[in-house]
Amino acid sequence: MPHENTIAVILAAGKGTRMHSDKPKVLQTLLGETMLRYVADAASSVAGRVLTVVGHGVDMVRAAHPELAGDFVVQEEQKGTGHALQVAWETVRESGASHCIVVNGDAPLVTAADIEELLADARDGADITFLTTVLPDAGAFGRVLRDADGQVAGIVEAKDFDPAIHGQDTGEVNTGIFCLSAASVEEALFSLTSANRAGEYYITDLVGLGVQAGLTVRALRREGGQDLLGVNSPLELANAEERLRGRIVERLLADGVLLHQQGQVVVGPRAAVAPGAEITGPCRILGTTSVGRGARVGAFCQLEDCIIDPGATVREFCHMQEAHVAVGAVAGPYTRLRPGADVGEDARVGNFVEMKKASLGKGAKASHLTYLGDATVGAGTNIGAGTITCNYDGKNKHKTDIGPGAFIGSNTALVAPVNVGAGALVAAGSVITKDVPEGVLAVARGRQSNIERRRKNP
Ligand code: UD1
Ligand code: CA
C-alpha cells in the first residue's frame, strides 16, 4: 500500500543527449515499456502521490503517459537535478507530505523495495537518505565522500572530482535515489548554487549542505546496486533491458512456466504467463498480454496486449495485438491478429490470415490467405482460402456478418455491408454484394463457357 504522507518526484526533464534520439530519454523502452513507466510504477507503489518533472519533449511524454500527466511539473529550462526539484517543491510543500522521494527518471531497474527501504530509513530519523553502490570504476557517476568514521560527508560529481581535494576514489557512487524529510531539507534546497564545472544546480549538493547544517544524513550502501544507476546510452539501455528480461524469465521459470530457448524469451513486466504455459523463444510477449495454463506460444511470435486462454495454441510466426485466442483454438503459423480480433473456442485461424475487429465463432475456421475486417463469423462456419471482407469503400468501414454453419468458397469477395445467413453456401470465386439468405447457395461470378478454339493447325 502506498504511504499517504509520502510524495515522489521523478526527475525526467532531461534530453538524454547520449541516446542520439529525438525522443526524450525517459520514453526509450525496455521490454516494450518506457523507462518512465518502470520508475513511476515503483514510485507509485510506495508514495501516495507521484510528481513528474518534465521539460524536454513534454508533449511526447504527455501523449505517452496520460495517466501521469495530471501531476506533471514543467521545468522549462533544464538547469540541473537540484533545480528540477526546486521547480517541483511548491507542489511538494502544498501536498503536505512529510517525506519526499526523489528518483531519476532514467533508472528503470529501481524497485518498490529499494524505495521502501529508503523511506523506512527516513522514518527512522534520517533527514536525507540515499542509496549508493560501489563500482570498480566510478565512471561518470557522482562520488560519495565519507569522513574518517565512515559517515557520509557529501557527493562530488565526476566532473568536479579531484583526488587532491576529495581524497582517493573509493568507487562508491550515488545511485540518484533519495528520500528527504520535506521540512528539514527545504532551506538547503533553496541554498544550492551552480558553482561547479557544469554550471548546474545539483541535487547531490544537498548532501554536503545537509551535513554542514547538522541534519541527519545517511548513505545506504548497496551490494550489486549497479541496477539502480541511470541509463544514459544505448549500450546501458540494452544492458538494463537484458537484466530486466533475465529477472522476469527467472521468475517465470520459478513459477512453473515452461520455457524453451529461455535466453530469447522476452516477456514484458505487465504480462502474465500462467504456470504450465509453454513458450518457445525467440518471441516477445508484451504489454498486458496474458497466457493461460497449458497454452502454447511458438517461436518468432510477437503478442502485445493479447489474451491467450488456457489450452490455446499460437503457432510460430504470429503477430498479434489486442487480440483474444480462446480455449482450444489454434492460430498460426503466420497469423496476423489486429486489435479486436477474437478467435473463438476451438476455432482455427491459419497462415496468412489477417483479422481486425473480427470474430470467429466456436469451431469456425479460416485456414488460409484471408482478410476478415469488421466481421463476425458464426460457429462452425468455414471460410475458404482467399476470402476477403471488403470492409472499406474508400471513405467508411462497413460490417460483414456471416451466420453459423455457413461455407464461404475460396476466393470470395464479400463487399460490406453484407450478411450471409446461417447454413448458406457461397460458391468459390463469388463477389457478394447483396445479402445471402439463410440456407441458400449463392453464386455470383461469371458463368464458364467453353468455346472451341479456332486454330490454323490443330
Ligand atoms: C545523476 C547524479 C549522479 C548519480 C547519477 C546516477 C546529479 C547532479 N548527478 O547524474 O550523482 O551518480 O545520476 O545515475 O544529480 N534531469 C531533470 N532536469 C535537469 C537535469 C536532469 O529533470 O535539469 C533529470 C534527467 O532527465 C534524468 C535525471 O534528472 O532523468 C538525472 O539526470 P542526468 O543528467 O542523467 O544525471 P547524471 O549525470 O546521470
Ligand atoms: Ca543519468
Side-chain angles (χ1 to χ4, degrees), residues 390-417:
C390 310
N391 59 331
Y392 185 51
D393 61 12
K395 272 201 187 129
N396 296 305
K397 300 282 171 67
H398 302 282
K399 292 206 165 96
T400 302
D401 182 55
I402 304 171
F407 186 99
I408 310 296
S410 295
N411 201 31
T412 292
L414 298 156
V415 182

Short mmCIF file of all heavy atoms in Angstrom, two decimals, residues 390-417:
data_model
loop_
_atom_site.label_atom_id
_atom_site.label_comp_id
_atom_site.label_asym_id
_atom_site.label_seq_id
_atom_site.Cartn_x
_atom_site.Cartn_y
_atom_site.Cartn_z
N CYS A 390 -14.49 -7.07 -47.92
CA CYS A 390 -14.14 -5.75 -48.49
C CYS A 390 -14.84 -4.73 -47.59
O CYS A 390 -15.98 -4.37 -47.84
CB CYS A 390 -14.62 -5.66 -49.92
SG CYS A 390 -14.10 -7.08 -50.92
N ASN A 391 -14.18 -4.33 -46.54
CA ASN A 391 -14.85 -3.54 -45.49
C ASN A 391 -14.73 -2.04 -45.70
O ASN A 391 -15.37 -1.28 -45.02
CB ASN A 391 -14.29 -3.92 -44.11
CG ASN A 391 -12.80 -3.69 -44.01
OD1 ASN A 391 -12.09 -3.76 -45.02
ND2 ASN A 391 -12.33 -3.42 -42.82
N TYR A 392 -13.95 -1.63 -46.65
CA TYR A 392 -13.64 -0.21 -46.79
C TYR A 392 -14.02 0.26 -48.19
O TYR A 392 -13.56 -0.32 -49.18
CB TYR A 392 -12.15 -0.02 -46.53
CG TYR A 392 -11.66 1.41 -46.51
CD1 TYR A 392 -12.31 2.36 -45.72
CD2 TYR A 392 -10.57 1.80 -47.27
CE1 TYR A 392 -11.86 3.67 -45.69
CE2 TYR A 392 -10.11 3.11 -47.24
CZ TYR A 392 -10.75 4.04 -46.46
OH TYR A 392 -10.31 5.34 -46.42
N ASP A 393 -14.84 1.30 -48.25
CA ASP A 393 -15.26 1.78 -49.58
C ASP A 393 -14.49 3.03 -49.99
O ASP A 393 -14.87 3.75 -50.90
CB ASP A 393 -16.76 2.04 -49.59
CG ASP A 393 -17.18 3.10 -48.58
OD1 ASP A 393 -16.29 3.79 -48.02
OD2 ASP A 393 -18.40 3.26 -48.34
N GLY A 394 -13.42 3.30 -49.31
CA GLY A 394 -12.63 4.49 -49.63
C GLY A 394 -12.93 5.62 -48.66
O GLY A 394 -12.14 6.54 -48.50
N LYS A 395 -14.10 5.54 -47.99
CA LYS A 395 -14.46 6.57 -47.02
C LYS A 395 -14.77 5.96 -45.66
O LYS A 395 -14.28 6.40 -44.65
CB LYS A 395 -15.72 7.31 -47.50
CG LYS A 395 -15.42 8.49 -48.40
CD LYS A 395 -16.61 9.44 -48.40
CE LYS A 395 -16.42 10.54 -49.44
NZ LYS A 395 -17.59 10.67 -50.32
N ASN A 396 -15.63 4.94 -45.68
CA ASN A 396 -16.11 4.37 -44.43
C ASN A 396 -15.84 2.88 -44.36
O ASN A 396 -15.65 2.23 -45.38
CB ASN A 396 -17.61 4.60 -44.29
CG ASN A 396 -17.92 6.09 -44.20
OD1 ASN A 396 -17.38 6.79 -43.35
ND2 ASN A 396 -18.74 6.58 -45.11
N LYS A 397 -15.90 2.39 -43.12
CA LYS A 397 -15.77 0.95 -42.89
C LYS A 397 -17.17 0.36 -42.73
O LYS A 397 -18.03 0.99 -42.13
CB LYS A 397 -14.96 0.70 -41.61
CG LYS A 397 -13.56 1.27 -41.63
CD LYS A 397 -12.63 0.40 -42.42
CE LYS A 397 -11.27 1.03 -42.65
NZ LYS A 397 -10.49 1.19 -41.44
N HIS A 398 -17.37 -0.83 -43.25
CA HIS A 398 -18.69 -1.48 -43.16
C HIS A 398 -18.53 -2.90 -42.66
O HIS A 398 -17.48 -3.51 -42.79
CB HIS A 398 -19.38 -1.48 -44.52
CG HIS A 398 -19.57 -0.10 -45.07
ND1 HIS A 398 -20.57 0.74 -44.65
CD2 HIS A 398 -18.86 0.57 -46.01
CE1 HIS A 398 -20.48 1.89 -45.31
NE2 HIS A 398 -19.44 1.82 -46.14
N LYS A 399 -19.65 -3.43 -42.15
CA LYS A 399 -19.60 -4.73 -41.48
C LYS A 399 -20.04 -5.89 -42.37
O LYS A 399 -20.92 -5.75 -43.21
CB LYS A 399 -20.52 -4.70 -40.26
CG LYS A 399 -20.01 -3.77 -39.16
CD LYS A 399 -20.54 -4.24 -37.82
CE LYS A 399 -19.78 -3.59 -36.69
NZ LYS A 399 -20.46 -2.39 -36.18
N THR A 400 -19.45 -7.02 -42.08
CA THR A 400 -19.87 -8.27 -42.71
C THR A 400 -20.30 -9.21 -41.59
O THR A 400 -19.58 -9.36 -40.61
CB THR A 400 -18.69 -8.92 -43.47
OG1 THR A 400 -18.22 -7.98 -44.44
CG2 THR A 400 -19.11 -10.22 -44.16
N ASP A 401 -21.48 -9.80 -41.78
CA ASP A 401 -21.93 -10.74 -40.76
C ASP A 401 -22.22 -12.07 -41.42
O ASP A 401 -23.03 -12.15 -42.34
CB ASP A 401 -23.18 -10.18 -40.08
CG ASP A 401 -23.66 -11.09 -38.97
OD1 ASP A 401 -22.86 -11.38 -38.07
OD2 ASP A 401 -24.83 -11.53 -39.02
N ILE A 402 -21.54 -13.09 -40.98
CA ILE A 402 -21.73 -14.42 -41.55
C ILE A 402 -22.28 -15.32 -40.45
O ILE A 402 -21.71 -15.40 -39.36
CB ILE A 402 -20.38 -14.98 -42.08
CG1 ILE A 402 -19.77 -14.00 -43.09
CG2 ILE A 402 -20.56 -16.36 -42.71
CD1 ILE A 402 -18.35 -14.33 -43.51
N GLY A 403 -23.38 -15.96 -40.73
CA GLY A 403 -24.06 -16.77 -39.71
C GLY A 403 -23.33 -18.07 -39.43
O GLY A 403 -22.32 -18.39 -40.06
N PRO A 404 -23.87 -18.84 -38.50
CA PRO A 404 -23.25 -20.13 -38.16
C PRO A 404 -23.47 -21.17 -39.26
O PRO A 404 -24.41 -21.08 -40.05
CB PRO A 404 -23.99 -20.54 -36.89
CG PRO A 404 -25.28 -19.79 -36.91
CD PRO A 404 -25.03 -18.53 -37.67
N GLY A 405 -22.57 -22.12 -39.30
CA GLY A 405 -22.72 -23.25 -40.20
C GLY A 405 -22.66 -22.89 -41.68
O GLY A 405 -23.11 -23.64 -42.54
N ALA A 406 -22.12 -21.76 -42.01
CA ALA A 406 -22.04 -21.34 -43.43
C ALA A 406 -20.74 -21.85 -44.03
O ALA A 406 -19.83 -22.33 -43.31
CB ALA A 406 -22.12 -19.83 -43.53
N PHE A 407 -20.67 -21.76 -45.35
CA PHE A 407 -19.45 -22.20 -46.05
C PHE A 407 -19.16 -21.14 -47.11
O PHE A 407 -19.97 -20.89 -48.00
CB PHE A 407 -19.69 -23.57 -46.70
CG PHE A 407 -18.44 -24.14 -47.32
CD1 PHE A 407 -17.68 -25.10 -46.64
CD2 PHE A 407 -18.03 -23.73 -48.59
CE1 PHE A 407 -16.54 -25.63 -47.22
CE2 PHE A 407 -16.87 -24.25 -49.17
CZ PHE A 407 -16.13 -25.20 -48.48
N ILE A 408 -18.02 -20.52 -46.98
CA ILE A 408 -17.65 -19.49 -47.96
C ILE A 408 -16.57 -20.10 -48.85
O ILE A 408 -15.49 -20.45 -48.37
CB ILE A 408 -17.09 -18.23 -47.26
CG1 ILE A 408 -18.01 -17.73 -46.14
CG2 ILE A 408 -16.79 -17.13 -48.27
CD1 ILE A 408 -19.38 -17.27 -46.58
N GLY A 409 -16.89 -20.26 -50.14
CA GLY A 409 -15.94 -20.88 -51.07
C GLY A 409 -14.71 -20.02 -51.25
O GLY A 409 -14.69 -18.82 -50.95
N SER A 410 -13.67 -20.64 -51.76
CA SER A 410 -12.39 -19.94 -51.91
C SER A 410 -12.51 -18.73 -52.82
O SER A 410 -13.35 -18.69 -53.72
CB SER A 410 -11.36 -20.90 -52.50
OG SER A 410 -11.11 -21.94 -51.58
N ASN A 411 -11.63 -17.80 -52.59
CA ASN A 411 -11.53 -16.61 -53.43
C ASN A 411 -12.84 -15.85 -53.56
O ASN A 411 -13.23 -15.45 -54.64
CB ASN A 411 -10.99 -17.00 -54.81
CG ASN A 411 -10.39 -15.79 -55.51
OD1 ASN A 411 -9.87 -14.89 -54.87
ND2 ASN A 411 -10.49 -15.75 -56.83
N THR A 412 -13.49 -15.66 -52.42
CA THR A 412 -14.75 -14.90 -52.40
C THR A 412 -14.49 -13.50 -51.86
O THR A 412 -13.75 -13.35 -50.89
CB THR A 412 -15.78 -15.62 -51.48
OG1 THR A 412 -16.13 -16.85 -52.10
CG2 THR A 412 -17.01 -14.78 -51.24
N ALA A 413 -15.12 -12.54 -52.55
CA ALA A 413 -15.06 -11.17 -52.02
C ALA A 413 -16.43 -10.85 -51.43
O ALA A 413 -17.45 -11.00 -52.11
CB ALA A 413 -14.72 -10.19 -53.13
N LEU A 414 -16.46 -10.46 -50.16
CA LEU A 414 -17.72 -10.11 -49.51
C LEU A 414 -17.73 -8.59 -49.38
O LEU A 414 -16.99 -8.03 -48.58
CB LEU A 414 -17.80 -10.78 -48.14
CG LEU A 414 -17.80 -12.32 -48.19
CD1 LEU A 414 -17.30 -12.92 -46.88
CD2 LEU A 414 -19.18 -12.85 -48.52
N VAL A 415 -18.54 -7.94 -50.20
CA VAL A 415 -18.49 -6.47 -50.24
C VAL A 415 -19.44 -5.91 -49.18
O VAL A 415 -20.66 -5.99 -49.32
CB VAL A 415 -18.85 -5.95 -51.65
CG1 VAL A 415 -18.75 -4.43 -51.69
CG2 VAL A 415 -17.92 -6.58 -52.70
N ALA A 416 -18.87 -5.37 -48.14
CA ALA A 416 -19.66 -4.92 -46.99
C ALA A 416 -20.30 -3.55 -47.28
O ALA A 416 -19.76 -2.78 -48.08
CB ALA A 416 -18.74 -4.84 -45.78
N PRO A 417 -21.44 -3.25 -46.64
CA PRO A 417 -22.12 -4.08 -45.64
C PRO A 417 -22.87 -5.25 -46.28
O PRO A 417 -23.57 -5.04 -47.26
CB PRO A 417 -23.09 -3.10 -44.99
CG PRO A 417 -23.38 -2.07 -46.04
CD PRO A 417 -22.13 -1.95 -46.85
#
